[in-house]
């Protein structure tokens, strides 16, 4: 993860002018600023470590500020869900700084994902549990959107958006939103349990549970039947504004042997039909032949008995 930091430029006349260097890190060569970070509340700069940017330190378009994304410190990468304290100091030509500098914290890093919506109807999902403050339907899909979910019996208007579920989302205009995922618990007494969803026979709405494209037989591995030689569903279809309906897969042996990477262009119908991939943020309809529990891909033990499903078992 990266932690975004932005600060205003210092206008003091005796600001360090780039002659010589007070720090060995290349990212700060010639700059009169240093960024420090700590994972516990510090009392002074000496309690903090020099922060290293993911790539470079950049100037804003108006030229009044600088910004960077902190990638690591003290030889360690940042951790999702952890609190940090950040400070920026400006150096004069002698390498001195004002000890009354300001500090920001605690701030926290989050894993996130962008969700794009086309004008009209969209079939969407989220791959992981969201932050409580970020989980309501308006925060995820926008205030002007209408969100509905088929629970297997009737339609409902969800208050919060959950992983494993697929959602119909209507928006009058194309838009993009950003969602932040809930970090994993660091408390061993209350460990996180992977998301799951109980499904009854018939058509059901589900979502993809990974932030990466995953082939359907892995993503849907929790719906394998006894001994891993059949599936509890018979079809997967999806929808996108540009492609319409499609992507029905045969659940056959050839699908299981297909390899390769999905097309970088986000065409969820096409990549499901031609390459067997389910993609992040997309929702799907599946037809359940019998009841089952759909679980996050992180909790799936693929083919526990070493068996690969064969066509006759997954008609």
């Amino acid at each position: 993860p990266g932690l975004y930091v932005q600060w205003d430029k210092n206008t003091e006349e005796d600001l360090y002018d780039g002659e010589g260097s007070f720090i060995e890190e290349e990212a700060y060569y010639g700059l009169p600023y240093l960024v420090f970070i700590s994972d516990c509340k510090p009392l002074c700069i000496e309690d903090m470590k020099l922060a290293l940017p993911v790539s470079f330190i950049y100037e804003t378009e108006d030229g009044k500020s600088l910004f960077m994304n902190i990638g690591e410190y003290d030889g360690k990468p940042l951790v999702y869900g952890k609190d940090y304290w950040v400070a920026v100091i400006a150096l004069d030509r002698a390498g001195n700084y004002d000890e009354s500098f300001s500090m920001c914290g605690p701030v926290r890093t989050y894993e996130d994902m962008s969700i794009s919506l086309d004008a009209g109807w969209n079939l969407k999902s989220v791959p992981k549990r969201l932050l409580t403050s970020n989980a309501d339907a308006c925060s995820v899909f926008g205030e002007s959107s209408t969100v509905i979910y088929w629970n297997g019996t009737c339609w409902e208007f969800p208050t919060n958006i959950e992983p494993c579920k697929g959602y119909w989302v209507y928006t009058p205009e194309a838009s993009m939103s950003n969602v932040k995922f809930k970090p994993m618990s660091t408390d061993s007494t209350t460990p996180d349990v992977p998301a799951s969803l109980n499904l009854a026979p018939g058509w059901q709405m589900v979502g993809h549970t990974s932030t990466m494209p995953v082939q359907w037989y892995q993503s849907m591995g929790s719906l394998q039947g006894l001994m891993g030689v059949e599936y509890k569903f018979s079809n997967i279809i999806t929808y996108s504004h540009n492609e319409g309906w499609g992507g029905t897969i045969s659940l056959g042996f050839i699908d299981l042997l297909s390899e390769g990477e999905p097309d970088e262009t986000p065409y969820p119908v096409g990549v499901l039909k031609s390459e067997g991939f389910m993609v992040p943020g997309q929702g799907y309809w599946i037809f359940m032949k019998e009841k089952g529990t759909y679980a996050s891909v992180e909790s799936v033990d693929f083919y526990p008995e070493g068996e690969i499903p064969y066509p006759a078992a997954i008609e």
Side-chain angles (χ1 to χ4, degrees), residues 23-163:
I23 197 74
E24 294 182 359
E25 298 297 343
E26 184 177 355
Y28 292 99
Y29 280 177
L31 293 176
Y33 306 99
L34 296 176
V35 181
F36 290 87
I37 187 171
S38 174
D39 56 10
C40 58
K41 189 174 182 179
L43 298 176
C44 58
I45 281 292
E46 286 70 26
D47 293 338
M48 307 179 78
K49 300 294 183 180
L50 185 68
L52 298 183
V54 173
S55 53
F56 301 101
I57 298 174
Y58 301 94
E59 186 176 80
T60 56
E61 291 185 4
D62 60 12
K64 296 180 180 180
S65 304
L66 296 172
F67 67 92
M68 65 181 258
N69 287 289
I70 300 175
E72 63 177 71
Y73 68 102
D74 199 26
K76 302 178 294 184
L78 272 63
V79 178
Y80 286 125
K82 191 176 184 64
D83 288 335
Y84 294 98
W85 283 258
V86 178
V88 181
I89 61 173
L91 303 176
D92 63 17
R93 293 189 182 96
N96 300 314
Y97 63 91
D98 187 347
E99 294 186 1
S100 63
F101 62 89
S102 60
M103 185 182 306
C104 179
V107 292
R108 182 171 292 187
T109 57
Y110 294 104
E111 185 180 7
D112 65 351
M113 185 182 80
S114 294
I115 296 178
S116 60
L117 297 173
D118 294 313
W121 286 101
N122 300 261
L123 194 50
K124 291 294 178 179
S125 68
V126 295
K128 298 182 179 182
R129 289 190 177 95
L130 304 176
L131 283 177
T132 303
S133 59
N134 188 200
D136 63 282
C138 290
S139 295
V140 177
F141 299 119
E143 294 184 359
S144 61
S145 297
T146 300
V147 184
I148 57 175
Y149 167 68
W150 176 255
N151 63 15
T153 304
C154 62
W155 292 101
E156 60 182 47
F157 294 91
T159 301
N160 292 325
I161 304 304
E162 305 172 70

